[in-house]
Amino acid sequence: MRVVSLRRTALGWMTALLAGIGLAAMLAAYVLARGEASDFLDGQLRQVALNAGPGLPDADAPPAADQDPEDQLAVSIWKDGRLLRSDRGVDALRPERTGYADVVMGGEAWRTYATANGTTMVRVAQREVVRTEFARNAALGALAPLLLLIPLSWIVVGWAMDRVLRRLDDLVRDLAGRGATANGPLSPRGVPAEVAPLVEAMNGLILRLQAALDAQKRFVADAAHELRTPLAAMQIQVGALDGGRDDRRMALAGGIARASRLVDQLLRLARLDDDNAGSRETVDLGQVLLDCVADHVVLAHGKDIDIGVDIETPVRIPAVRDELTTLFSSLIDNALRYTPAGGQVDVTLRLRDGKAVVAVRDTGCGLPPGSASRLFDRFFRAAPPGIEGTGLGLAIARRAAERHGLSLTVENRRDRQGAIAEVRPQS
C-alpha cells in the first residue's frame, strides 16, 4: 500500500512553487534591465557620436534615446586653462584632479570622469539619478514576481495540503458516524505517513474497548441468565408456603418478583447491546401495538387504568418483531407504572408528513424538572417515592429504537398533566 508523506508532499510542492517563482523573477528582471540598458546605451552611442564631431547635425536618431534628459552625458573641455565647451549648463570650474569623482553641480549629484594630457582636459559627467534608476528598476523587476509568491503559495500549498488531508476528513466522518458498539478498525488507506501511527494506535484502542465491552456484555448476560433459575425456584417455594396473606411472605414474594423483572430487563438489554441483529421482516406496526396493549390489559385493569389503542392507518415496516415488541412494551409498561388509579393511557398510530408516528400518552405525574437530560440513562428513575421500577425501561426502549433507525422522545404533555413518548423515523 502506497503511503503518502505529508512532509514530503508539502516540501515538494513548495520547492516547485519557489523554483517557478525564481525563474519568473529572473526572466522579468532580465527583460526589464535589458530594456533599460538598451535605452541608456543607445543614448550613450548617440552622445558619443555627437560629441566626437562638434558641429555635425543630429542624425535621425530614435527619439526614445533622449526621452530621459537625465540619461544624457555632459562633456566639458578645457585647453590651456580656457573652457572650450560645457554641456547641460554644468559647473564650468576646471576639476583639480583627474579620474572618477562624485560632485554636486547645479544642485544635483553627478558622477564624473576627468582626463588630461597637459594642455587639454576633458570631463564627462552623468547624473547619479541614472544609476539610482537602474538599481530601482532592476529591484522592482526582481521584486514584482516575488510579490506573487504569498498568494500563489497559499493557493498551491493549500491545494496540495487539501489533497493530502482529504483522507483525514474521511477519517473524521468515519469516527463521527460510529456508534458505541462499532468495532471495525479505521482504514489507513490514503492516510499521510505522519498520521498512520495515530490511526494504528486508535485501532488498537478500538479493539481493547470492544474486548472490554464484550466482556461486560457476557458478564451481564451470563449473570442474568444464571439468576433466572434460582429466582424462579424461590417464587415457586414462596407460593407453596402456608400462611395465607402473611405480610412477610407477601413482601418476600414482591421482592422476588422485582428481582425477576430486573433480571429479565437485564437480559433484554444485553441482547439489544449485541451487535448481531436478528433477522428482519416486514412487520405490521399496528398489529404489534395491538399485541403490546393486549399483553398489558391485565396490569391496567389491576390498577384501574383505562388503556386504549387508536390506529389511524395500517403501516408496515422492516423490523425485528421481538425488538419492536420490546420497544413498545417498555413504553406502555412505563406509562402504566407512572399513572395512578383512575388514569388513562392512550396508544396511537398516526401519519405525519408521510411518516408513521407512534405516541404513548399517560395521565401520570409527568417528568420532574431537570430530569430530561437523564431520562434514558440506565438505572435512572424520575419516579416519586412509592412507584416501583428499575430505571431500565426507557433505556431498553431507546436502544431498541436506535437499532431500527427510530427516534424516541419523552416529554411532558401540554394539554394536561402527564407525559407523552413518541417514536418516529429519524429525519
Side-chain angles (χ1 to χ4, degrees):
M1 180 180 61
R2 181 174 178 269
V3 179
V4 179
S5 172
L6 180 63
R7 184 182 295 106
R8 286 198 301 270
T9 300
L11 290 178
W13 282 102
M14 183 65 74
T15 301
L17 176 63
L18 292 178
I21 294 294
L23 291 175
M26 181 182 68
L27 180 61
Y30 174 80
V31 171
L32 292 175
R34 180 178 175 83
E36 287 291 325
S38 295
D39 291 342
F40 174 73
L41 293 177
D42 285 347
Q44 301 303 298
L45 291 175
R46 181 168 177 268
Q47 292 298 320
V48 170
L50 293 175
N51 289 319
L56 292 177
D58 192 356
D60 54 350
D66 278 342
Q67 282 184 352
D68 296 328
E70 66 271 14
D71 290 348
Q72 299 172 358
L73 297 175
V75 181
S76 300
I77 303 175
W78 290 267
K79 187 173 182 60
D80 297 328
R82 186 170 59 88
L83 180 64
L84 296 182
R85 64 170 291 175
S86 178
D87 295 336
R88 318 300 176 199
V90 298
D91 194 346
L93 293 178
R94 188 175 187 273
E96 298 179 355
R97 61 184 181 86
T98 60
Y100 290 103
D102 294 315
V103 298
V104 177
M105 297 182 295
E108 293 183 272
W110 294 74
R111 178 69 169 171
T112 66
Y113 178 78
T115 183
N117 62 0
T119 61
T120 303
M121 172 175 280
V122 177
R123 181 185 67 189
V124 181
Q126 186 182 55
R127 290 178 176 86
E128 283 285 355
V129 70
V130 176
R131 300 171 183 266
T132 304
E133 184 179 345
F134 266 116
R136 182 175 63 250
N137 290 336
L140 290 177
L143 179 62
L146 292 178
L147 292 178
L148 300 176
L149 177 62
I150 294 178
L152 285 179
S153 63
W154 291 345
I155 296 173
V156 175
V157 177
W159 173 77
M161 295 295 289
D162 181 67
R163 289 188 60 191
V164 177
L165 297 179
R166 189 176 300 133
R167 172 53 189 153
L168 294 183
D169 294 336
D170 297 337
L171 193 65
V172 170
R173 286 192 291 270
D174 187 4
L175 283 172
R178 285 173 171 254
T181 59
N183 57 1
L186 300 173
S187 174
R189 182 176 58 86
V191 172
E194 291 78 6
V195 185
L198 176 62
V199 175
E200 294 178 0
M202 293 176 68
N203 284 334
L205 177 62
I206 290 173
L207 292 177
R208 292 192 296 273
L209 288 175
Q210 187 60 38
L213 288 174
D214 290 342
Q216 181 184 14
K217 293 175 186 177
R218 286 195 299 271
F219 172 76
V220 172
D222 293 344
H225 182 74
E226 292 298 326
L227 284 172
R228 294 185 72 179
T229 301
L231 286 173
M234 290 174 65
Q235 282 183 315
I236 295 175
Q237 293 171 3
V238 169
L241 289 176
D242 294 331
R245 295 183 58 84
D246 180 75
D247 291 340
R248 288 176 296 177
R249 187 178 70 84
M250 295 298 294
L252 179 59
I256 294 174
R258 289 192 297 273
S260 298
R261 182 169 179 270
L262 174 60
V263 169
D264 183 64
Q265 287 185 318
L266 286 174
L267 276 174
R268 289 184 183 181
L269 200 55
R271 294 191 186 101
L272 290 173
D273 282 338
D274 191 355
D275 292 334
N276 296 322
S279 58
R280 295 202 174 195
E281 57 181 313
T282 302
V283 177
D284 186 341
L285 186 57
Q287 186 61 49
V288 171
L289 293 176
L290 288 173
D291 293 342
C292 291
V293 170
D295 292 340
H296 289 81
V297 167
V298 175
L299 176 61
H301 287 175
K303 294 188 64 176
D304 191 23
I305 296 175
D306 181 17
I307 185 172
V309 58
D310 182 12
I311 299 174
E312 181 181 68
T313 181
V315 176
R316 302 179 69 85
I317 61 173
V320 180
R321 178 180 288 273
D322 291 342
E323 295 182 4
L324 209 59
T325 300
T326 298
L327 165 60
F328 295 116
S329 293
S330 298
L331 294 179
I332 295 172
D333 182 81
N334 196 71
L336 290 173
R337 290 183 181 278
Y338 283 78
T339 301
Q344 184 176 347
V345 173
D346 295 317
V347 181
T348 61
L349 171 60
R350 298 282 188 271
L351 285 179
R352 296 182 187 171
D353 299 328
K355 297 180 180 180
V357 178
V358 177
V360 179
R361 295 178 176 83
D362 63 57
T363 58
C365 57
L367 304 178
S371 63
S373 61
R374 298 194 58 196
L375 277 180
F376 301 103
D377 291 351
R378 299 180 182 187
F379 299 106
F380 173 75
R381 299 187 67 243
I387 298 180
E388 295 183 357
T390 61
L392 289 175
L394 289 180
I396 292 173
R398 186 172 197 176
R399 183 70 188 117
E402 289 175 347
R403 287 171 66 92
H404 287 80
L406 302 174
S407 172
L408 170 61
T409 59
V410 181
E411 58 185 7
N412 285 323
R413 296 178 62 171
R414 295 182 176 86
D415 56 342
R416 58 177 300 176
Q417 184 177 1
I420 175 173
E422 285 192 348
V423 178
R424 67 184 67 201
Q426 292 181 352
S427 54

